[in-house]
């Protein structure tokens, strides 16, 4: 867990994946106090320093699109939603106070296969037997007995 101070001085605990913990340990280089991320001068990394680092790493990776810390955040939110993480859990991870903010990132929210009607149709298709001929009523009446 990492304690993060966000907007308005709000402190929150963020769970970290083991790989992230190893990267942070390497960045700390044995330090036990002071800022987690430091600039070239040894001071606390500010948002401008972070933007320069992200842009430099994007160039080194051969990316031509302008990449910012916010575009990485946007990618995290979008991929989490695409992976099926619940809107509420993504909202918490992104520390959005309002779920409508998180919904704006959901580029697939208009996809038909995610619409409630399609989900319900798939569920019903699994529960009800398939019709065997054209003249059989579908769906079968609720009062009909199995067999």
């Amino acid at each position: 867990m990492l304690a993060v101070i966000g907007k308005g001085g709000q402190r929150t605990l963020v769970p970290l994946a083991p790989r992230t913990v190893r990267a942070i340990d390497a960045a700390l280089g044995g330090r036990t106090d002071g800022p987690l991320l430091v600039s070239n001068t040894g001071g606390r990394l500010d948002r401008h320093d972070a933007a320069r680092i992200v842009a430099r790493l994007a160039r080194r990776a051969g990316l031509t699109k302008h990449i910012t810390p916010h575009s990485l955040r946007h990618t995290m939110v979008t991929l989490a939603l695409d992976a099926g993480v619940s809107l509420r859990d993504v909202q918490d991870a992104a520390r959005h106070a309002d779920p409508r903010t998180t919904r704006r990132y959901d580029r697939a929210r208009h996809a038909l296969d995610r619409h409630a009607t399609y989900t319900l149709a798939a569920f019903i298709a699994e529960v009800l037997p398939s019709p065997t001929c054209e003249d059989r009523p579908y769906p079968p009446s609720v009062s009909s007995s199995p067999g």
Side-chain angles (χ1 to χ4, degrees):
M1 299 294 275
L2 178 68
V4 176
I5 299 174
K7 285 183 179 179
Q10 291 181 338
R11 184 178 185 268
T12 186
L13 293 176
V14 178
L16 300 175
R19 183 177 189 162
T20 305
V21 171
R22 289 191 299 274
I24 289 173
D25 285 342
L28 286 173
R31 290 183 294 116
T32 57
D33 61 352
L36 176 64
L37 301 172
V38 294
S39 67
N40 290 338
T41 62
R44 183 180 305 272
L45 198 74
D46 67 17
R47 63 188 184 97
H48 301 290
D49 296 324
R52 282 190 289 273
I53 291 168
V54 168
R56 184 176 66 240
L57 291 173
R59 280 192 307 274
R60 279 191 198 164
L63 301 175
T64 56
K65 184 177 179 186
H66 181 67
I67 305 295
T68 65
H70 186 265
S71 58
L72 296 177
R73 174 181 170 83
H74 191 289
T75 299
M76 182 277 298
V77 170
T78 302
L79 289 176
L81 291 168
D82 287 351
V85 177
S86 75
L87 181 70
R88 178 72 178 137
D89 288 341
V90 176
Q91 177 188 347
D92 287 344
R95 296 186 320 239
H96 290 153
D98 189 331
R100 290 176 294 184
T101 304
T102 312
R103 286 280 303 197
R104 285 197 303 247
Y105 289 88
D106 193 0
R107 66 175 180 217
R109 70 182 174 275
H110 298 295
L112 290 178
D113 60 348
R114 288 185 54 190
H115 194 278
T117 300
Y118 281 77
T119 304
L120 183 59
F123 173 77
I124 290 171
E126 290 178 18
V127 173
L128 296 177
S130 299
T132 56
C133 62
E134 289 181 25
D135 59 349
R136 180 175 172 192
Y138 191 77
S141 68
V142 177
S143 62
S144 64
S145 60

Coordinates of all heavy atoms in Angstrom, one line a residue, residues 36-113:
L36 N 9.3 10.4 -2.6 CA 9.4 9.1 -3.3 C 10.1 9.2 -4.7 O 11.0 8.5 -5.0 CB 8.0 8.5 -3.5 CG 7.9 7.2 -4.3 CD1 8.6 6.1 -3.6 CD2 6.4 6.9 -4.5
L37 N 9.7 10.2 -5.4 CA 10.3 10.5 -6.7 C 11.0 11.8 -6.7 O 10.4 12.8 -6.2 CB 9.2 10.5 -7.8 CG 8.4 9.2 -7.9 CD1 7.2 9.4 -8.9 CD2 9.3 8.1 -8.4
V38 N 12.2 11.8 -7.1 CA 13.0 13.1 -7.0 C 13.4 13.5 -8.4 O 13.6 12.7 -9.3 CB 14.3 12.9 -6.1 CG1 13.9 12.6 -4.7 CG2 15.2 11.7 -6.6
S39 N 13.7 14.8 -8.5 CA 14.1 15.4 -9.8 C 15.6 15.3 -9.9 O 16.3 14.8 -9.0 CB 13.7 16.9 -9.9 OG 14.4 17.6 -8.9
N40 N 16.2 15.8 -11.0 CA 17.6 15.7 -11.2 C 18.4 16.5 -10.1 O 19.5 16.2 -9.8 CB 18.0 16.3 -12.6 CG 17.6 15.4 -13.7 OD1 17.4 14.2 -13.5 ND2 17.4 15.9 -14.9
T41 N 17.7 17.5 -9.5 CA 18.3 18.3 -8.5 C 18.2 17.7 -7.1 O 18.7 18.2 -6.1 CB 17.7 19.7 -8.5 OG1 16.3 19.6 -8.2 CG2 17.9 20.4 -9.8
G42 N 17.4 16.6 -7.0 CA 17.2 15.9 -5.7 C 16.0 16.4 -5.0 O 15.7 15.9 -3.9
G43 N 15.3 17.3 -5.6 CA 14.0 17.8 -5.0 C 12.8 17.0 -5.3 O 12.9 16.0 -6.2
R44 N 11.7 17.3 -4.8 CA 10.5 16.6 -5.1 C 10.1 16.8 -6.5 O 10.2 17.9 -7.1 CB 9.4 17.1 -4.2 CG 8.0 16.4 -4.3 CD 7.0 17.0 -3.4 NE 7.4 17.0 -2.0 CZ 7.2 16.0 -1.2 NH1 6.6 14.9 -1.6 NH2 7.6 16.0 0.1
L45 N 9.7 15.7 -7.2 CA 9.3 15.7 -8.6 C 8.0 16.4 -8.7 O 7.0 16.1 -8.0 CB 9.2 14.3 -9.1 CG 9.1 14.0 -10.6 CD1 10.5 14.2 -11.1 CD2 8.6 12.6 -10.8
D46 N 7.9 17.5 -9.6 CA 6.6 18.2 -9.7 C 6.0 17.7 -11.0 O 6.5 16.8 -11.7 CB 6.8 19.7 -9.7 CG 7.6 20.2 -10.9 OD1 7.8 19.5 -11.9 OD2 8.1 21.4 -10.8
R47 N 4.8 18.2 -11.3 CA 4.0 17.7 -12.4 C 4.7 18.0 -13.8 O 4.6 17.2 -14.7 CB 2.6 18.3 -12.4 CG 2.5 19.7 -12.6 CD 1.1 20.2 -12.3 NE 0.9 21.6 -12.6 CZ 0.5 22.2 -13.7 NH1 0.1 21.4 -14.7 NH2 0.4 23.5 -13.8
H48 N 5.5 19.1 -13.8 CA 6.2 19.4 -15.1 C 7.3 18.4 -15.3 O 7.6 17.9 -16.4 CB 6.7 20.8 -15.0 CG 5.7 21.8 -14.9 ND1 4.7 22.1 -15.8 CD2 5.3 22.6 -13.8 CE1 3.9 23.0 -15.4 NE2 4.2 23.3 -14.2
D49 N 8.1 18.0 -14.2 CA 9.1 17.0 -14.3 C 8.5 15.7 -14.8 O 9.1 15.0 -15.6 CB 9.8 16.8 -12.9 CG 10.5 18.0 -12.4 OD1 11.1 18.8 -13.2 OD2 10.5 18.3 -11.2
A50 N 7.4 15.3 -14.2 CA 6.7 14.1 -14.6 C 6.3 14.1 -16.0 O 6.5 13.1 -16.7 CB 5.5 13.8 -13.7
A51 N 5.8 15.2 -16.5 CA 5.4 15.3 -17.9 C 6.6 15.1 -18.8 O 6.6 14.5 -19.9 CB 4.7 16.6 -18.2
R52 N 7.7 15.7 -18.5 CA 9.0 15.6 -19.3 C 9.5 14.2 -19.3 O 9.9 13.7 -20.4 CB 10.0 16.6 -18.8 CG 9.8 18.0 -19.2 CD 11.1 18.8 -18.8 NE 11.2 19.1 -17.4 CZ 10.6 20.1 -16.7 NH1 9.9 20.9 -17.4 NH2 10.8 20.2 -15.5
I53 N 9.4 13.5 -18.2 CA 9.9 12.1 -18.1 C 9.0 11.2 -19.0 O 9.5 10.4 -19.7 CB 9.9 11.6 -16.6 CG1 11.0 12.3 -15.9 CG2 10.0 10.1 -16.6 CD1 10.9 12.1 -14.4
V54 N 7.7 11.4 -18.9 CA 6.7 10.6 -19.7 C 6.9 10.8 -21.1 O 7.0 9.9 -22.0 CB 5.3 10.8 -19.2 CG1 4.3 10.2 -20.2 CG2 5.0 10.3 -17.8
A55 N 7.1 12.1 -21.5 CA 7.3 12.4 -22.9 C 8.6 11.8 -23.4 O 8.7 11.3 -24.6 CB 7.3 13.9 -23.1
R56 N 9.7 11.9 -22.6 CA 11.0 11.3 -23.0 C 10.9 9.8 -23.2 O 11.4 9.2 -24.2 CB 12.0 11.7 -22.0 CG 13.4 11.2 -22.4 CD 14.5 11.6 -21.5 NE 14.4 11.0 -20.2 CZ 14.2 11.6 -19.0 NH1 14.1 12.9 -19.0 NH2 14.0 10.9 -17.9
L57 N 10.2 9.1 -22.3 CA 10.0 7.7 -22.4 C 9.2 7.3 -23.6 O 9.5 6.3 -24.2 CB 9.4 7.1 -21.1 CG 10.3 7.2 -19.8 CD1 9.5 6.8 -18.6 CD2 11.5 6.3 -20.0
A58 N 8.2 8.1 -23.9 CA 7.4 7.8 -25.1 C 8.2 7.9 -26.4 O 8.1 7.1 -27.3 CB 6.2 8.8 -25.1
R59 N 9.1 9.0 -26.4 CA 9.9 9.1 -27.6 C 10.9 8.0 -27.7 O 11.1 7.4 -28.8 CB 10.7 10.4 -27.5 CG 9.9 11.7 -27.9 CD 10.8 12.9 -28.1 NE 11.7 13.2 -26.9 CZ 11.3 13.9 -25.8 NH1 10.1 14.4 -25.8 NH2 12.1 14.1 -24.9
R60 N 11.5 7.5 -26.6 CA 12.4 6.4 -26.6 C 11.7 5.1 -27.0 O 12.3 4.3 -27.7 CB 13.0 6.2 -25.2 CG 14.1 7.0 -24.9 CD 14.8 6.5 -23.6 NE 15.6 7.6 -23.0 CZ 16.0 7.6 -21.8 NH1 15.7 6.6 -21.0 NH2 16.8 8.6 -21.3
A61 N 10.4 5.0 -26.7 CA 9.7 3.8 -27.2 C 9.2 3.9 -28.6 O 8.6 3.0 -29.1 CB 8.4 3.7 -26.3
G62 N 9.5 5.0 -29.3 CA 9.2 5.2 -30.7 C 7.8 5.7 -30.9 O 7.3 5.6 -32.0
L63 N 7.1 6.2 -29.9 CA 5.7 6.7 -30.1 C 5.8 8.1 -30.6 O 6.6 8.9 -30.2 CB 5.0 6.7 -28.7 CG 4.9 5.3 -28.0 CD1 4.3 5.5 -26.6 CD2 4.1 4.3 -28.9
T64 N 4.9 8.3 -31.6 CA 4.9 9.6 -32.2 C 3.8 10.5 -31.6 O 3.9 11.7 -31.7 CB 4.7 9.5 -33.8 OG1 3.5 8.8 -34.0 CG2 5.9 8.8 -34.4
K65 N 2.8 9.9 -31.0 CA 1.7 10.6 -30.4 C 2.3 11.3 -29.1 O 3.1 10.7 -28.4 CB 0.6 9.7 -30.1 CG -0.6 10.4 -29.5 CD -1.8 9.5 -29.3 CE -2.9 10.3 -28.7 NZ -4.1 9.5 -28.3
H66 N 1.8 12.5 -28.8 CA 2.2 13.2 -27.6 C 1.5 12.4 -26.4 O 0.3 12.4 -26.2 CB 1.7 14.6 -27.6 CG 2.1 15.4 -26.4 ND1 3.4 15.7 -26.1 CD2 1.3 16.0 -25.5 CE1 3.4 16.4 -25.0 NE2 2.1 16.6 -24.6
I67 N 2.4 11.9 -25.5 CA 1.9 11.1 -24.3 C 2.2 12.0 -23.1 O 3.3 12.5 -22.9 CB 2.6 9.8 -24.2 CG1 2.5 9.0 -25.5 CG2 2.1 9.0 -23.0 CD1 1.1 8.6 -25.8
T68 N 1.2 12.1 -22.2 CA 1.3 12.8 -21.0 C 0.9 11.9 -19.8 O 0.3 10.9 -20.0 CB 0.3 14.0 -21.0 OG1 -1.0 13.5 -21.0 CG2 0.5 14.9 -22.2
P69 N 1.2 12.4 -18.6 CA 0.7 11.6 -17.4 C -0.8 11.4 -17.5 O -1.3 10.3 -17.1 CB 1.2 12.4 -16.2 CG 2.4 13.1 -16.7 CD 2.1 13.5 -18.2
H70 N -1.5 12.4 -17.9 CA -3.0 12.3 -18.0 C -3.4 11.2 -19.0 O -4.4 10.5 -18.8 CB -3.7 13.6 -18.2 CG -5.1 13.5 -18.1 ND1 -5.9 13.3 -19.2 CD2 -6.0 13.5 -17.1 CE1 -7.2 13.1 -18.8 NE2 -7.2 13.3 -17.5
S71 N -2.7 11.2 -20.1 CA -3.0 10.1 -21.1 C -2.8 8.7 -20.6 O -3.5 7.8 -20.9 CB -2.3 10.3 -22.4 OG -0.9 10.3 -22.3
L72 N -1.8 8.6 -19.7 CA -1.6 7.3 -19.0 C -2.7 7.0 -18.1 O -3.2 5.9 -18.0 CB -0.2 7.3 -18.3 CG 1.0 7.4 -19.1 CD1 2.3 7.5 -18.2 CD2 1.1 6.3 -20.2
R73 N -3.2 8.0 -17.3 CA -4.3 7.8 -16.4 C -5.6 7.5 -17.2 O -6.3 6.6 -16.8 CB -4.5 9.2 -15.7 CG -5.7 9.2 -14.8 CD -5.8 10.6 -14.1 NE -7.0 10.8 -13.4 CZ -7.3 10.4 -12.2 NH1 -6.4 9.7 -11.5 NH2 -8.5 10.6 -11.7
H74 N -5.8 8.2 -18.3 CA -6.9 7.9 -19.2 C -6.9 6.4 -19.7 O -7.9 5.7 -19.7 CB -6.9 8.9 -20.4 CG -8.2 8.9 -21.2 ND1 -8.5 7.8 -22.0 CD2 -9.1 9.8 -21.3 CE1 -9.7 8.1 -22.6 NE2 -10.1 9.3 -22.2
T75 N -5.7 6.0 -20.1 CA -5.5 4.6 -20.5 C -5.9 3.6 -19.4 O -6.5 2.6 -19.7 CB -4.1 4.4 -21.0 OG1 -3.8 5.3 -22.1 CG2 -3.8 3.0 -21.5
M76 N -5.4 3.9 -18.2 CA -5.7 3.0 -17.1 C -7.2 2.9 -16.9 O -7.8 1.8 -16.8 CB -5.1 3.5 -15.8 CG -5.3 2.6 -14.6 SD -6.8 2.8 -13.6 CE -6.7 4.5 -13.1
V77 N -7.9 4.0 -16.9 CA -9.4 4.0 -16.7 C -10.1 3.2 -17.8 O -10.9 2.4 -17.6 CB -9.9 5.4 -16.5 CG1 -11.4 5.4 -16.5 CG2 -9.4 6.0 -15.2
T78 N -9.7 3.6 -19.1 CA -10.3 3.0 -20.2 C -10.1 1.5 -20.3 O -11.0 0.7 -20.5 CB -9.8 3.6 -21.5 OG1 -10.1 5.0 -21.5 CG2 -10.5 3.1 -22.8
L79 N -8.8 1.0 -20.1 CA -8.5 -0.4 -20.1 C -9.3 -1.2 -19.0 O -9.7 -2.3 -19.2 CB -7.0 -0.6 -20.0 CG -6.2 -0.3 -21.3 CD1 -4.8 -0.4 -21.0 CD2 -6.7 -1.1 -22.5
A80 N -9.3 -0.5 -17.8 CA -10.0 -1.2 -16.7 C -11.5 -1.4 -17.1 O -12.1 -2.5 -16.8 CB -9.9 -0.4 -15.4
L81 N -12.1 -0.4 -17.6 CA -13.5 -0.5 -18.0 C -13.7 -1.5 -19.1 O -14.6 -2.4 -19.1 CB -14.1 0.9 -18.5 CG -14.3 1.9 -17.4 CD1 -14.5 3.3 -17.9 CD2 -15.4 1.5 -16.4
D82 N -12.8 -1.5 -20.1 CA -12.8 -2.5 -21.2 C -12.6 -3.9 -20.7 O -13.2 -4.9 -21.2 CB -11.8 -2.2 -22.3 CG -12.1 -1.0 -23.1 OD1 -13.2 -0.5 -23.0 OD2 -11.2 -0.6 -23.9
A83 N -11.9 -4.1 -19.6 CA -11.6 -5.4 -19.0 C -12.8 -5.9 -18.2 O -12.7 -7.0 -17.7 CB -10.3 -5.4 -18.2
G84 N -13.8 -5.1 -18.0 CA -14.9 -5.5 -17.3 C -14.9 -5.1 -15.8 O -15.8 -5.5 -15.0
V85 N -14.0 -4.3 -15.4 CA -14.0 -3.9 -14.0 C -15.2 -3.0 -13.8 O -15.5 -2.2 -14.7 CB -12.7 -3.1 -13.7 CG1 -12.7 -2.5 -12.2 CG2 -11.4 -4.0 -13.9
S86 N -15.9 -3.1 -12.7 CA -17.1 -2.4 -12.4 C -16.8 -0.9 -12.4 O -15.7 -0.4 -12.0 CB -17.7 -2.8 -11.1 OG -17.0 -2.2 -10.0
L87 N -17.8 -0.1 -12.9 CA -17.7 1.3 -12.9 C -17.3 1.9 -11.5 O -16.5 2.8 -11.4 CB -19.0 2.0 -13.4 CG -19.0 3.5 -13.5 CD1 -18.1 3.9 -14.6 CD2 -20.4 4.0 -13.7
R88 N -17.9 1.3 -10.5 CA -17.7 1.8 -9.1 C -16.2 1.6 -8.7 O -15.6 2.4 -8.1 CB -18.6 1.1 -8.1 CG -18.4 1.5 -6.7 CD -18.9 2.9 -6.4 NE -18.7 3.2 -5.0 CZ -18.2 4.3 -4.6 NH1 -17.9 5.3 -5.4 NH2 -18.1 4.5 -3.3
D89 N -15.7 0.4 -9.1 CA -14.3 0.1 -8.7 C -13.3 1.0 -9.5 O -12.3 1.4 -8.9 CB -14.0 -1.4 -9.0 CG -14.7 -2.3 -7.9 OD1 -15.1 -1.8 -6.9 OD2 -14.8 -3.5 -8.2
V90 N -13.6 1.2 -10.7 CA -12.7 2.1 -11.5 C -12.8 3.5 -11.0 O -11.8 4.2 -10.9 CB -13.1 2.1 -13.0 CG1 -12.3 3.1 -13.8 CG2 -12.9 0.7 -13.6
Q91 N -14.0 3.9 -10.6 CA -14.2 5.3 -10.0 C -13.4 5.4 -8.8 O -12.7 6.4 -8.6 CB -15.7 5.5 -9.7 CG -16.0 6.8 -9.0 CD -17.4 6.9 -8.5 OE1 -18.3 6.0 -8.8 NE2 -17.7 7.8 -7.6
D92 N -13.3 4.4 -7.9 CA -12.5 4.4 -6.7 C -11.0 4.5 -7.1 O -10.3 5.3 -6.5 CB -12.8 3.2 -5.8 CG -14.1 3.2 -5.1 OD1 -14.7 4.3 -5.1 OD2 -14.6 2.2 -4.7
A93 N -10.6 3.7 -8.0 CA -9.2 3.6 -8.4 C -8.7 5.0 -9.0 O -7.6 5.4 -8.7 CB -9.0 2.5 -9.4
A94 N -9.6 5.6 -9.7 CA -9.3 6.9 -10.3 C -9.5 8.1 -9.4 O -9.2 9.2 -9.7 CB -10.1 7.1 -11.6
R95 N -10.1 7.8 -8.2 CA -10.4 8.8 -7.2 C -11.3 9.8 -7.8 O -11.2 11.0 -7.6 CB -9.2 9.4 -6.6 CG -8.4 8.3 -5.8 CD -7.2 8.9 -5.1 NE -6.5 10.0 -5.8 CZ -5.3 9.9 -6.2 NH1 -4.5 8.9 -5.8 NH2 -4.7 10.9 -6.9
H96 N -12.3 9.4 -8.6 CA -13.4 10.3 -9.1 C -14.5 10.4 -8.1 O -15.0 9.4 -7.7 CB -13.9 9.8 -10.4 CG -13.0 9.9 -11.6 ND1 -13.1 9.0 -12.7 CD2 -12.0 10.7 -11.8 CE1 -12.2 9.3 -13.5 NE2 -11.4 10.3 -13.1
A97 N -14.8 11.6 -7.7 CA -15.9 11.8 -6.8 C -17.3 11.5 -7.4 O -18.2 11.0 -6.7 CB -15.9 13.2 -6.2
D98 N -17.4 11.7 -8.7 CA -18.7 11.5 -9.4 C -18.6 10.4 -10.4 O -17.7 10.5 -11.2 CB -19.1 12.9 -10.0 CG -20.5 12.9 -10.6 OD1 -21.0 11.8 -11.0 OD2 -21.1 14.0 -10.7
P99 N -19.5 9.4 -10.4 CA -19.4 8.4 -11.4 C -19.5 8.9 -12.9 O -19.0 8.2 -13.8 CB -20.5 7.4 -11.0 CG -21.4 8.1 -10.1 CD -20.6 9.2 -9.5
R100 N -20.1 10.0 -13.0 CA -20.3 10.5 -14.4 C -18.9 10.9 -15.0 O -18.7 10.8 -16.2 CB -21.2 11.8 -14.4 CG -22.6 11.4 -14.1 CD -23.5 12.6 -14.1 NE -23.1 13.4 -12.9 CZ -23.7 14.5 -12.5 NH1 -24.7 15.0 -13.2 NH2 -23.3 15.1 -11.4
T101 N -18.0 11.3 -14.1 CA -16.6 11.5 -14.6 C -16.0 10.3 -15.2 O -15.4 10.3 -16.3 CB -15.7 12.1 -13.5 OG1 -16.4 13.2 -12.9 CG2 -14.4 12.5 -14.0
T102 N -16.2 9.2 -14.5 CA -15.6 7.9 -14.9 C -16.3 7.4 -16.2 O -15.7 6.9 -17.1 CB -15.8 6.8 -13.8 OG1 -15.3 7.4 -12.6 CG2 -15.0 5.6 -14.1
R103 N -17.6 7.6 -16.3 CA -18.4 7.2 -17.5 C -17.9 7.9 -18.7 O -17.9 7.3 -19.8 CB -19.9 7.5 -17.3 CG -20.6 6.7 -16.4 CD -21.0 5.4 -17.0 NE -21.8 5.6 -18.2 CZ -22.5 4.6 -18.7 NH1 -22.6 3.5 -18.2 NH2 -23.2 4.8 -19.8
R104 N -17.3 9.1 -18.6 CA -16.8 9.8 -19.8 C -15.7 9.0 -20.5 O -15.4 9.2 -21.7 CB -16.4 11.2 -19.5 CG -17.6 12.1 -19.3 CD -17.1 13.6 -19.3 NE -16.1 13.9 -18.4 CZ -16.2 14.7 -17.3 NH1 -17.4 15.3 -17.1 NH2 -15.2 14.9 -16.5
Y105 N -15.0 8.2 -19.7 CA -13.8 7.5 -20.2 C -14.3 6.2 -20.9 O -13.5 5.6 -21.6 CB -12.9 7.1 -19.1 CG -12.1 8.2 -18.5 CD1 -12.6 8.9 -17.5 CD2 -10.8 8.5 -19.0 CE1 -11.8 10.0 -16.9 CE2 -10.1 9.5 -18.4 CZ -10.6 10.2 -17.4 OH -9.8 11.3 -16.9
D106 N -15.5 5.8 -20.7 CA -16.0 4.5 -21.2 C -16.4 4.6 -22.6 O -17.5 4.8 -23.0 CB -17.2 4.0 -20.3 CG -17.6 2.6 -20.5 OD1 -16.9 1.9 -21.3 OD2 -18.5 2.1 -19.9
R107 N -15.4 4.4 -23.5 CA -15.6 4.6 -24.9 C -16.5 3.5 -25.5 O -17.1 3.7 -26.6 CB -14.3 4.6 -25.7 CG -13.6 3.3 -25.6 CD -12.3 3.3 -26.4 NE -11.7 1.9 -26.3 CZ -10.4 1.7 -26.2 NH1 -9.6 2.8 -26.3 NH2 -9.9 0.5 -26.1
A108 N -16.7 2.4 -24.8 CA -17.5 1.3 -25.3 C -18.9 1.3 -24.7 O -19.6 0.3 -25.0 CB -16.8 -0.1 -25.0
R109 N -19.3 2.3 -24.0 CA -20.5 2.3 -23.3 C -21.7 2.2 -24.3 O -22.8 1.9 -23.9 CB -20.7 3.4 -22.4 CG -20.9 4.8 -23.0 CD -20.9 5.9 -22.0 NE -21.0 7.2 -22.6 CZ -19.9 7.9 -22.9 NH1 -18.7 7.4 -22.7 NH2 -20.0 9.1 -23.4
H110 N -21.5 2.6 -25.6 CA -22.5 2.5 -26.5 C -22.5 1.2 -27.4 O -23.3 1.1 -28.3 CB -22.5 3.7 -27.5 CG -22.7 5.0 -26.7 ND1 -23.9 5.3 -26.1 CD2 -21.9 6.0 -26.5 CE1 -23.8 6.5 -25.5 NE2 -22.6 7.0 -25.7
A111 N -21.6 0.3 -27.0 CA -21.5 -0.9 -27.8 C -22.7 -1.8 -27.5 O -23.2 -1.9 -26.4 CB -20.2 -1.7 -27.4
L112 N -23.3 -2.3 -28.6 CA -24.6 -3.1 -28.4 C -24.4 -4.3 -27.6 O -25.3 -4.7 -26.8 CB -25.1 -3.5 -29.8 CG -25.6 -2.3 -30.6 CD1 -26.1 -2.8 -32.0 CD2 -26.8 -1.6 -29.9
D113 N -23.2 -5.0 -27.7 CA -23.1 -6.2 -26.9 C -23.0 -6.0 -25.4 O -23.1 -6.9 -24.7 CB -21.9 -7.0 -27.4 CG -20.6 -6.3 -27.3 OD1 -20.6 -5.1 -27.1 OD2 -19.5 -7.0 -27.5

